[in-house]
Amino acid sequence: MQKSSRFLVVSQMIGDIFGISMISIKDESEQKKFCEKHRLDKFAVRLQKCQAGVFRMYEDILYLRVIFFMHRGQAVIIGPYLAEEMNIERCIQLCSELGKKPAEARELLAFYESYPVIMDTYMQKILFAVKNALGLGEMEETYEFEHSVSQKELDFSKLAKVSNENLEMHYCMEREYMDAIKRGNFQEVMRYKKLLSENAAGQWSTKIDKEGKRQALAVNRAMSRIAAFEAGVPAPLIHQISTKESTEILSANTMTQMDRACETMLREFCDAICDIRNRKYSAMVQSVIYCIHKQFEQPLSVREMAEEVGVTESYMIARFKKETGATPATYLRNVRLEEAARLLIATDDEIQKIAGKVGITDANYFVKVFKAKYQNTPKDYRKRFKV
C-alpha cells in the first residue's frame, strides 16, 4: 500500500520540528531491520499486538520508547525516543542494574545521543496532531515498561537477593521522585510516580483493591508533603493542598478518581514550587529574606536586618516592600506564624511554648496575630487541622 500524502506531510512535520521519525512497517523484514537497528530485542513481540484505535507506548529496558498503532492495515511506529535526557551517571547506574561493566556506560551514552528527547507533554501534542491529521478518531492509550522482572522468571533460591536489590532500587527511585517534586517538574514527577507504581505492582502485589490504593496514596502524600516543604512551600499551603487530596481520595468511588486527586495535588505542589523559584529579588532583598529565615526564632529587629545587609533602615524597608509587597517586619511575622502553624499540627507542644519557639515572647500577642492571619486561634487551628 502506498503511503498517503497526508501521512507523508505529518511524518515530515514531526520530523522537522521534533527530530522524531514516523514510519510504517510493511512486512517482517522491515520489522526485523527496525528492531536490530535500535536494539529493541523484545519489541517485535509487542508489535504483533498492534491494532486500530489504540496508541501503544512501549519502553524497553534501556528506557528507549516507541509508540505504535495501526493505520490502513499497516503498523505505524513513532520513535524511538527518550522521555528525558540520559547523562553519564544514569548510564553508569543502568549498567550496574543490568550487570554490565561501568566502562560500557560511555558506549551507552553515545547510543542515546542519536535519539531525540521528548517530554510526555510534547508527545501528547504530537499524538494529538497525528490523530487529527490521519483522521484516526478516538484513540485509547496503553503503556508497557520493560523494567520489572516477573516473579515467574525468578530462580526462587535467589528471590531474597532480588527482593533486596529491588527494595534498594525502589527507595532510590523514591528519592528521585521527591527531588523531581522539589524541582517543580510536573512531567518528571508523573514519570517517576508511574515507575514507582509499576515497580511496586510487579514486585509486591499481584492485585490491589481500593483500600490498598488509599494506603499507597497515603504514603505518596507523605513523601510529597516532605518534598514540598523542603522546596520552601509554606506549611499551611502544603496542609491545605494535601488535605484536599486526602478528602477526595476518601470519598472516591474508583481508583481513577483517586489517581486524579493525587495528580491534582502534585500539580499544585509543582506550581507552588515554580512560583517560589520564579520570584526574582535583588541580592539585598534575598539577603534580608535569608536573614529572616535563619534567625526568625531569635529576637530580630528591622535595625539588625539593615545592619546585616549594610544599608539604612529606610532604604531597606522601601526596597523590600517594592520587591515583595510586604515590609520586612510583616514578612518576618508571616514566617514566624507559618512555622507556628506547622508546629501546631506536627507537635503537641503548648501554645505558649510554640510562640517562644518562633520568636514571639508575648503569648497574648501571638494569639492575636495568629487569629488575624488564619481566622482561627492557635487552639482552634490545631483542633481543626491536626491529624
Side-chain angles (χ1 to χ4, degrees):
M1 180 189 298
Q2 200 163 7
K3 295 179 182 178
S4 69
S5 58
R6 185 172 291 185
F7 183 95
L8 291 172
V9 169
V10 70
S11 175
Q12 184 174 354
M13 179 188 71
I14 64 174
D16 291 343
I17 297 175
F18 297 98
I20 191 171
S21 66
M22 182 173 80
I23 62 172
S24 61
I25 300 293
K26 297 177 182 178
D27 51 40
E28 289 187 10
S29 175
E30 288 189 357
Q31 174 182 304
K32 182 179 179 182
K33 185 177 178 181
F34 178 86
C35 293
E36 288 177 351
K37 178 181 177 181
H38 302 290
R39 304 185 188 179
L40 293 167
D41 300 332
K42 298 183 179 181
F43 177 59
V45 177
R46 273 71 183 180
L47 196 56
Q48 293 173 7
K49 300 178 182 178
C50 192
Q51 64 187 87
V54 181
F55 281 132
R56 292 186 178 274
M57 193 282 287
Y58 169 73
E59 183 175 271
D60 80 342
I61 201 166
L62 295 178
Y63 296 96
L64 204 60
R65 289 187 176 187
V66 289
I67 292 175
F68 55 105
F69 60 97
M70 189 69 73
H71 176 58
R72 295 188 176 182
Q74 290 185 353
V76 176
I77 299 175
I78 300 176
Y81 70 98
L82 295 164
E84 61 179 344
E85 289 204 32
M86 302 294 284
N87 54 31
I88 190 63
E89 288 80 13
R90 288 289 305 278
C91 291
I92 292 172
Q93 180 184 0
L94 187 53
C95 284
S96 175
E97 292 171 2
L98 298 175
K100 305 287 186 180
K101 296 179 181 178
E104 295 181 63
R106 293 199 176 277
E107 179 185 345
L108 182 58
L109 184 60
F111 170 72
Y112 284 136
E113 287 174 352
S114 61
Y115 295 102
V117 177
I118 302 177
M119 293 188 300
D120 292 340
T121 179
Y122 290 114
M123 182 50 69
Q124 287 298 320
K125 293 178 180 179
I126 292 173
L127 295 181
F128 182 78
V130 169
K131 181 181 73 170
N132 288 343
L134 300 183
L136 299 178
E138 290 300 316
M139 296 288 286
E140 182 186 346
E141 294 182 15
T142 66
Y143 305 88
E144 184 175 357
F145 298 88
E146 196 72 54
H147 299 306
S148 58
V149 180
S150 170
Q151 287 194 359
K152 293 180 181 179
E153 299 174 0
L154 291 176
D155 177 351
F156 281 88
S157 66
K158 300 177 181 178
L159 182 58
K161 179 180 178 182
V162 173
S163 297
N164 288 338
E165 290 174 350
N166 185 68
L167 281 171
E168 183 175 349
M169 180 184 71
H170 194 83
Y171 294 148
C172 289
M173 203 181 297
E174 286 180 341
R175 183 70 264 173
E176 291 289 331
Y177 171 72
M178 294 174 70
D179 287 343
I181 294 175
K182 289 162 69 174
R183 290 191 290 271
N185 188 329
F186 176 71
Q187 294 299 327
E188 190 180 5
V189 168
M190 294 306 295
R191 169 175 163 73
Y192 278 116
K193 180 178 180 295
K194 186 180 293 184
L195 290 176
L196 283 167
S197 297
E198 290 284 335
N199 187 56
Q203 296 295 332
W204 298 319
S205 174
T206 55
K207 187 176 181 181
I208 185 171
D209 58 13
K210 285 196 289 187
E211 186 55 35
K213 182 77 168 180
R214 288 191 177 97
Q215 292 175 5
L217 290 174
V219 174
N220 177 275
R221 187 183 314 120
M223 289 192 297
S224 304
R225 285 163 59 108
I226 292 170
F229 183 76
E230 290 178 350
V233 179
L237 179 57
I238 292 174
H239 189 76
Q240 181 182 355
I241 292 173
S242 60
T243 299
K244 182 178 72 171
E245 184 247 19
S246 175
T247 302
E248 290 176 355
I249 286 175
L250 286 172
S251 62
N253 295 318
T254 66
M255 294 190 190
T256 299
Q257 291 174 338
M258 296 181 196
D259 282 329
R260 285 175 183 166
C262 179
E263 181 176 336
T264 298
M265 177 191 72
L266 293 171
R267 186 183 295 278
E268 290 179 351
F269 276 150
C270 288
D271 288 345
I273 290 165
C274 288
D275 286 343
I276 292 170
R277 296 282 168 82
N278 290 334
R279 292 174 189 164
K280 303 297 182 183
Y281 298 135
S282 64
M284 187 273 290
V285 170
Q286 288 181 28
S287 297
V288 175
I289 291 174
Y290 179 82
C291 173
I292 288 173
H293 281 278
K294 288 296 181 182
Q295 302 182 41
F296 72 88
E297 297 173 342
Q298 309 164 17
L300 182 62
S301 67
V302 174
R303 177 181 58 80
E304 289 170 330
M305 294 182 212
E307 290 177 354
E308 182 81 17
V309 297
V311 297
T312 64
E313 287 184 51
S314 58
Y315 176 78
M316 182 191 72
I317 292 170
R319 186 67 180 272
F320 193 94
K321 186 172 183 179
K322 181 179 180 180
E323 294 187 27
T324 68
T327 65
T330 300
Y331 190 97
L332 170 62
R333 183 171 67 245
N334 285 335
V335 169
R336 285 170 166 168
L337 293 175
E338 286 165 6
E339 176 63 11
R342 186 188 72 81
L343 292 173
L344 285 166
I345 296 170
T347 74
D348 295 319
D349 291 346
E350 294 180 358
I351 292 173
Q352 187 171 354
K353 183 177 181 181
I354 289 176
K357 280 185 174 182
V358 300
I360 301 177
T361 55
D362 187 331
N364 291 328
Y365 173 74
F366 170 70
V367 172
K368 179 181 177 181
V369 294
F370 189 94
K371 186 175 181 180
K373 181 173 176 65
Y374 293 107
Q375 291 77 52
N376 285 277
T377 64
K379 182 178 180 181
D380 290 340
Y381 186 91
R382 169 179 275 169
K383 186 176 180 180
R384 181 179 179 186
F385 293 113
K386 186 173 176 64
V387 178

